[in-house]
Amino acid sequence: MANNFMVAESTNLTSARIFSLQATKDIQNGAIVGKGDLVTGADQIYTALDDYAGGMYLVLNPAWSYDDSKLVNQNEENYVNKADKPFRVYRLEKDMKYKVSNITETFEVGDVVKYDAATGKYAKDTDGSLKVVYVEEQGFPYCIGSVGVTVTGDTNNEYGKALGAKTIKYTIEVIK
């Protein structure tokens, strides 16, 4: 059974500085956080902040489950960065790009967006620092029939019930 955790890709983060952060709550890959002070007793792990006005850091830790009893445990949508455990972030700067997928929001090329830490989701924003520059559909539903799940976005029931799924990937560019 797949989870609904966001998936992120480092599409164009050339020369991005990488830091280790830690939060007091679970944080999905693809989230944008701020960097606070060093964690007590640590010399290279910083506190993750919900407020990223002082700098944006993309949460993008390698997705790996140590429970390898099932191959699906390694699917990225099944991965979340656990509270009180260090995770990797990339410092974002103007013109850098990354991708997010497995989200419920729908965007179009040209939409200006922001990451809302309170909801854990991306949202349209007229004064945001991020812009959707490319939208792509990948994958396909398979095993079409009367069992499985309804394909996300299939309002006309074109596919019926399916196993597997399409996903929409949004390439986001830092514009400020």
Side-chain angles (χ1 to χ4, degrees):
M1 178 166 97
N3 288 303
N4 293 320
F5 296 131
M6 192 167 25
V7 175
E9 299 175 24
S10 55
T11 303
N12 190 6
L13 296 176
T14 306
S15 73
R17 298 241 1 238
I18 300 172
F19 293 89
S20 293
L21 269 61
Q22 186 172 307
T24 57
K25 62 182 179 181
D26 291 354
I27 295 188
Q28 298 181 51
N29 278 340
I32 304 292
V33 297
K35 182 173 82 68
D37 294 330
L38 285 168
V39 171
T40 303
D43 64 349
Q44 293 188 25
I45 302 170
Y46 295 86
T47 303
L49 305 173
D50 286 343
D51 179 14
Y52 54 85
M56 295 187 297
Y57 295 80
L58 174 67
V59 177
L60 190 51
N61 199 64
W64 180 260
S65 171
Y66 288 99
D67 178 4
D68 60 2
S69 62
K70 296 179 185 175
L71 190 57
V72 295
N73 290 347
Q74 303 312 323
N75 290 356
E76 290 181 287
E77 69 273 7
N78 290 334
Y79 181 80
V80 69
N81 297 289
K82 296 292 186 182
D84 302 318
K85 301 285 184 193
F87 53 86
R88 179 185 298 170
V89 298
Y90 292 78
R91 184 175 66 197
L92 295 176
E93 297 177 14
K94 187 176 181 334
D95 298 327
M96 290 182 167
K97 296 178 186 170
Y98 63 95
K99 291 183 186 181
V100 292
S101 60
N102 206 33
I103 62 175
T104 56
E105 302 80 13
T106 302
F107 301 118
E108 295 179 15
V109 170
D111 284 347
V112 176
V113 298
K114 68 175 181 177
Y115 180 78
D116 183 356
T119 63
K121 296 181 178 187
Y122 283 86
K124 291 181 184 178
D125 185 35
T126 56
D127 192 34
S129 301
L130 307 168
K131 182 178 181 179
V132 176
V133 295
Y134 190 68
V135 178
E136 63 186 298
E137 183 178 288
Q138 289 189 342
F140 57 92
Y142 55 91
C143 297
I144 300 169
S146 60
V147 298
V149 297
T150 303
V151 177
T152 303
D154 184 20
T155 55
N156 295 329
N157 199 27
E158 179 181 345
Y159 297 103
K161 303 284 185 172
L163 298 174
K166 308 183 294 183
T167 190
I168 305 296
K169 293 185 176 187
Y170 297 97
T171 301
I172 298 178
E173 181 176 8
V174 180
I175 57 175
K176 291 184 184 178

